[in-house]
Amino acid sequence: MADALISPVVGGTMMAATACVAAYSIKKVQNDLDDKKVPLMGVMGAFVFASQMINFSIPATGSSGHLGGGMLLAILLGPYAGFLTMASILLIQALFFGDGGLLAYGCNVFNLGFYTCFIAYPFIYKRITRKGLTSGRIFGASMVSSILGLQMGAFSVVLETLFSGKTELPFNTFALLMQPIHLGIGIVEGLVTAAVVNFIWKARPEILEHTAAGTTFGRIPIKKVLTGILVAAIAIGGFVSWFASSDPDGLEWSMERTAGTTELKASESTVHNMLANIQSKTAFLPDYGFKTATGNKTDSYAGTSISGIVGGALTLGLAGLIGLVISVFKKKK
């Protein structure tokens, strides 16, 4: 979500809600965080960052979607580390790539991280797989939880614009467009999630077992898993990102059919202007491309590749740093 979609009150409220969930996650993640999970947080953050750059077309709609990644993070890292990793990804995107507003940061983390990590994962995914992990159960649980998690996040966007008083996006029309298009996106996300989780399960099933039980990884050897995910992140961000669809994503598509535009006019409030100025200065690769003298993006494969690799590295560093700080504090405690 861009800042133009929400009011300062809604943005501030959601920022506070997200901060509370993050504080709770920091406290709870200490129970299962160890020296093995910290690097996994980093490489999974890099992988999801790179994957979110890939917009795939939704047939017969003129729309596109991208991986949210919340379910994948929750399944492999647990809900608390997963939520903190998602917060890291979206902060890097907003600050350095101008993707998502700073005022809307709390909304974006909540929409993509809270519903997946704290509702879809424990109440849907874990219940479907509680009798044991098999390829079939992983597939079914990943599909259902990914679809429902994305549906909740999409509906949350509609509510946030409603409470922000965005009359250009009337509730009924906006909701009737947002939910179906994100159903299609959710199906693709479920397929990708199931594929990655099945790969991890076959390569190192102990990771999923310990994560589901909320215990530390201990002596589980995960070097090969870390290497595989990191190589995939580099390949996706550095090369596959060239082939991202140029069609508007699900939110933009819904806005265009509701309000006739993919971008609403930004508010002239002091808060909006201040955060927009900050973001224009920090975003050194706006919209995942090189910045021109006028501050706009230039389209080039080189800019896309550098954005994917640099963004993945920054996310790996931030998510890993958060995990490391919590781990050090846990040991001292």
Side-chain angles (χ1 to χ4, degrees), residues 13-43:
T13 300
M14 295 307 297
M15 191 76 76
T18 296
C20 289
V21 178
Y24 176 73
S25 297
I26 290 171
K27 179 180 179 181
K28 298 292 288 184
V29 78
Q30 297 178 46
N31 295 329
D32 62 359
L33 189 68
D34 62 6
D35 293 339
K36 294 288 181 68
K37 182 169 283 190
V38 170
L40 187 59
M41 286 176 64
V43 297

Side-chain angles (χ1 to χ4, degrees), residues 150-200:
L150 199 57
Q151 285 291 295
M152 287 184 278
F155 190 65
S156 186
V157 170
V158 176
L159 291 178
E160 287 155 3
T161 58
L162 173 68
F163 295 144
S164 295
K166 297 300 173 181
T167 55
E168 306 97 320
L169 301 171
F171 176 81
N172 290 338
T173 305
F174 196 34
L176 287 173
L177 288 166
M178 281 285 285
Q179 302 311 129
I181 198 64
H182 281 88
L183 173 61
I185 297 171
I187 291 172
V188 177
E189 171 138 9
L191 291 171
V192 174
T193 300
V196 175
V197 174
N198 259 306
F199 168 78
I200 300 297

Side-chain angles (χ1 to χ4, degrees), residues 25-27 29-30 33 41 84 321-331:
S25 297
I26 290 171
K27 179 180 179 181
V29 78
Q30 297 178 46
L33 189 68
M41 286 176 64
L84 294 173
L321 179 62
I322 290 173
L324 181 62
V325 170
I326 295 172
S327 181
V328 170
F329 176 79
K330 174 186 175 182
K331 290 177 180 178

